[in-house]
Amino acid sequence: MAGHLGRRLRRGATSGAVVAAAVAALAASQGPGTTQPPTDGASGDVPIGTGDTATTPDGSASGDSPYYTELPPLNTPNKPGSPAGTLPVITGPAEAGIPASVLAAYQRAEQSIRSTDPDCNLPWQLLAGIGKVESGQARGGAVDANGTTNSPILGPVLNGVGFANISDTDNGAYDGDSVHDRAVGPMQFIPSTWATWGQDANGDGKKDPNNIYDAAQAAGLYLCANGRNLAVKADLDKAILSYNRSREYLNTVLSWFEYYKRGSHQVPDGTGVLPGDRSDNPRTTPGARPTPTAPVTPKPKPTTPKPSPSKPAEPTPTKPTTPPTTDPAAKVARLNKDGATALSATAGTTFTTRPTVLAVDLAGKPVAGVQVRFRISDETDARFAVGAREVTAVTGSNGKAVAPTLKAGEQTGGFKVSATVVGRALNAVEFAATVTERSADTLTHVDAKELAATTGGTVTGPVTVKATDGGAAAAGVALTATFVTSATDPQPATDGPYFKDADGTAVRTLTGLKTRADGTYELPDIHAGDKTGTFVLRLTAPGGGSVTITITVTAPEPEPEPTPTPSPSSSTGGTPEPTPTS
């Protein structure tokens, strides 16, 4: 790791008491509604919320890599005569300075995500807080004109020695290590997380974790995942903890978040203040208080006054490096569809084709760096792979913007995917999409034994069928079971065996029976009815699969005739009783 990262400390090293004091000081100045730190007093690692699918298998975006633990500077405002116990306020204009390209990347990410996911309420100051803690704002803004760091920012090798143990997932493509992963870039994504969330936000045609525009956009989407509303304290905490599973990390990020909310300003790239040892800077040493001194007013003299020292001229600020002010969207004359215009998938599967558009100017030339909003219409439960109905993609150097992978839900039928240029009123481009039923080309009777019952009874034992498609188990397939007139006549039967519905009414057709994960379905009880004979049950599935099952219904065995009981006289051999006469 670079020498100036030597002061970067391992997670959990921050004093919980100091962090809590800093955040409390920040919060006190904000008034009602300010984000507060956790009050459980815990420190160290904590588990992420159950079901937080935004996190990677290791549980965090950064692999729980170490981070800068320095807090925003604290100064006491107490002066002689001030009420005792007055809380300190945050000061330090140098720390409030954010390098121009880094600040532009955070603000662009906020604007982009607020246009596609307004319910997330992502503030750019949260990205700034994480960027400060993860990389010192890209090493004080050491980036080129495109926002790419002058040299890669790499965390330590995650080999289990003091840190998480994460085996290589990118063959060293991002971190140069083909054995273990390392956190990469100004927002410190581990490669496996970047593979899912990486973005091309600066329109250079590649997703680069070392580019602050790409990394900030990816971090914003990651924090907003799973429908989080970052204006809600619980969601805000969960989002930060999904980045690094440590209460100390949470408190440190929150302190910088509140600090930047109170005020910040732009400084030239490469001049940002890097975090370091707090003891190196007396202004930020915990507990240090400036000694107030009373101002001294010189007394005027009747003679020629002694000239006061001239005020040194303030240095002329260097013009910051900023992205081009011309909005690429202003150059776009129209959007064209690129590639397939019709999309289709089976329920519960992924669409093989992704909506793609080409942004061109009046001369028909491609326009790079254009934000394109893709939106799924309301009449479906299909979503993009990130779980959202709306997403924003940026056109690359070839002018093309590609939507994320589209996943079908369980609702079948057609819907639209529209593409529009963010900030422009150009006509939308629409893609027709269709979700078809899950299908099976084969149905089989699992236990092909003959089914039999007697009138008034039920068929003995469960009746199970299995659906397959292309030889593989077909899960979630909707089956229809109908008693038909005969194997050659598919007309529904009007008598004979039947099922019962939820009200106990006899029915001879059942629909919407869904196969299990292994493709099987167990039929409900089959009642024989009061008619004898051979009856046929037919099951069908979308895709052509079908099976017929024969049921034989017989009359119950007749009860044996009772044996006559002999009279007492016949058993003793006595004289029969005389027949009475009239």
Side-chain angles (χ1 to χ4, degrees), residues 98-107 128 131 137-138 140-143 212-213 216 269 321:
I98 300 177
S101 292
V102 179
L103 178 60
Y106 296 151
Q107 293 176 335
Q137 309 298 20
V143 299
I212 186 59
Y213 291 99
D269 288 344
T321 302

Side-chain angles (χ1 to χ4, degrees), residues 64-82:
D64 292 340
S65 290
Y67 52 88
Y68 289 115
T69 59
E70 183 175 291
L71 299 174
L74 294 174
N75 265 340
T76 175
N78 289 357
K79 296 181 180 180
S82 298

Side-chain angles (χ1 to χ4, degrees), residues 1-6 8 62 65-66 68 134-135 139 149 151-158 170 172-177 180-191 208-210:
M1 189 181 298
H4 62 268
L5 290 180
R8 187 169 183 169
S62 64
S65 290
Y68 289 115
E134 291 292 348
S135 69
R139 293 175 177 160
T149 56
S151 60
I153 299 177
L154 298 175
V157 177
L158 299 176
D170 66 331
Y174 293 120
D175 56 16
D177 191 327
H180 292 91
D181 271 347
R182 303 173 70 176
V184 182
M187 302 305 280
Q188 289 290 277
F189 279 98
I190 56 174
D208 184 359
N210 279 299

